[in-house]
Amino acid sequence: MRTASEVIRLEGVSKEFRRQKGRTLRELVACLMAGQPFWEPFYALHDVTLSVAEGETLGIIGRNGSGKSTILKIIAGVTAPTEGRVYVRGRVSPLIELGAGFHPDLTGRENIFMNASILGMSNAQVRERFQDIVSFAELWEFIDMPVKRYSSGMYVRLGFAVAVHCEPDILLVDEVLAVGDLAFQEKCLRKMKEFQERGVTIVLVSHSLEMVQEFCHRVIWLDEGRVRAEGPPEVMIPLYREAMLGHQMAQEAQLHPPFGS
């Protein structure tokens, strides 16, 4: 049941994708002749229930493939759940995928207007904040260049600059900050601190446990699409580190079994 303070709630959310069984024409023909599907179901999320309160910063941790980015895409409305219900209240600014929402053949200037409109800003609002956006991204020299010529770091700078200047109620941040240079990362972290002080709700996906420790009020640990545990960062991060160390030791034992075994 949703409470008044919640701005995000997922109830029993599952997400199914289709995974191709083979990649060659021969494998496709073999499946067709045997009357078997060429695809098999794959669940990125299994019965996930979580909530985020207004003004809270939630961290989501887990190994690659655990479903972290899928949750952000569902919150952002980029993809719909296969099962379950999703509730989101407020303007959402997603920083999920590098260059998402950008058209490669358009210039940085044109993409600012297009991307900002997708995030709910009017042309008048974009014009009013245009200089601040470009200055934050530090891209005045390249703003009239097609973004297909941008480096990955320039993509991130432009995407982050647009997202943080649309006055979001909810900010979704994936690992995109890892691409930018150190100085820009520091600028983004200061901006996120400002958002926290203003009461903006943040959902942060990161492999940087130090960043999660510094920013997050609460942490959810995803494992193979399921919520394995949740709690304060001072509890969750040591628990997660211990589990990952055990997983790494088990893998090394399989690769290098003891002599004579």
Side-chain angles (χ1 to χ4, degrees):
M1 182 177 177
R2 184 173 59 84
T3 64
S5 65
E6 290 176 345
V7 293
I8 300 171
R9 182 164 183 82
L10 276 60
E11 296 180 350
V13 166
S14 297
K15 180 62 181 180
E16 180 188 32
F17 293 101
R18 293 194 304 170
R19 182 165 50 194
Q20 191 172 309
K21 286 185 177 180
R23 296 187 177 275
T24 67
L25 180 60
R26 177 179 295 180
E27 290 169 321
L28 171 60
V29 172
C31 284
L32 291 175
M33 293 187 66
Q36 298 176 345
F38 195 53
W39 305 88
E40 58 184 0
F42 166 72
Y43 273 87
L45 296 175
H46 299 266
D47 194 26
V48 171
T49 295
L50 62 85
S51 64
V52 189
E54 185 175 5
E56 182 181 20
T57 299
L58 174 70
I60 303 179
I61 59 176
R63 290 184 295 165
N64 287 333
S66 60
K68 304 184 300 297
S69 295
T70 302
I71 280 186
L72 291 191
K73 290 177 182 177
I74 287 175
I75 295 172
V78 174
T79 187
T82 306
E83 301 169 10
R85 295 189 296 175
V86 180
Y87 169 84
V88 179
R89 174 167 59 87
R91 175 184 283 178
V92 178
S93 282
L95 280 165
I96 299 175
E97 291 182 350
L98 186 61
F102 289 166
H103 192 294
D105 293 322
L106 299 181
T107 66
R109 182 185 302 271
E110 291 165 334
N111 271 292
I112 287 175
F113 278 87
M114 183 181 71
N115 197 238
S117 68
I118 293 172
L119 295 177
M121 292 173 65
S122 67
N123 280 342
Q125 289 175 318
V126 182
R127 284 193 295 270
E128 180 183 336
R129 300 169 196 171
F130 182 81
Q131 289 195 352
D132 292 336
I133 291 171
V134 182
S135 295
F136 189 95
E138 303 170 5
L139 289 174
W140 279 113
E141 187 178 350
F142 309 99
I143 200 61
D144 291 311
M145 177 188 295
V147 298
K148 64 184 177 183
R149 299 179 187 170
Y150 282 15
S151 67
S152 57
M154 292 162 72
Y155 259 108
V156 168
R157 281 151 57 185
L158 189 61
F160 193 93
V162 174
V164 299
H165 283 87
C166 79
E167 298 183 356
D169 302 304
I170 300 169
L171 182 66
L172 309 177
V173 185
D174 207 338
E175 290 287 357
V176 291
L177 295 185
V179 180
D181 59 45
L182 184 59
F184 190 75
Q185 287 180 32
E186 290 295 329
K187 181 191 287 190
C188 294
L189 296 179
R190 288 195 299 271
K191 195 68 176 178
M192 288 173 61
K193 285 286 188 184
E194 289 178 23
F195 279 167
Q196 284 186 316
E197 292 169 1
R198 286 165 41 192
V200 173
T201 305
I202 301 173
V203 181
L204 172 66
V205 165
S206 180
H207 288 292
S208 172
L209 299 181
E210 292 75 16
M211 183 182 294
V212 172
Q213 177 79 57
E214 179 181 358
F215 276 92
C216 298
H217 304 121
R218 187 165 54 94
V219 177
I220 286 179
W221 174 9
L222 279 185
D223 187 20
E224 296 184 349
R226 293 181 170 88
V227 176
R228 181 161 173 178
E230 66 176 286
E234 59 269 21
V235 173
M236 294 302 304
I237 289 177
L239 186 66
Y240 179 69
R241 279 196 171 118
E242 182 180 356
M244 291 304 99
L245 180 60
H247 177 75
Q248 182 180 354
M249 292 176 65
Q251 283 187 322
E252 290 177 354
Q254 288 180 340
L255 292 173
H256 307 287
F259 181 76
S261 61

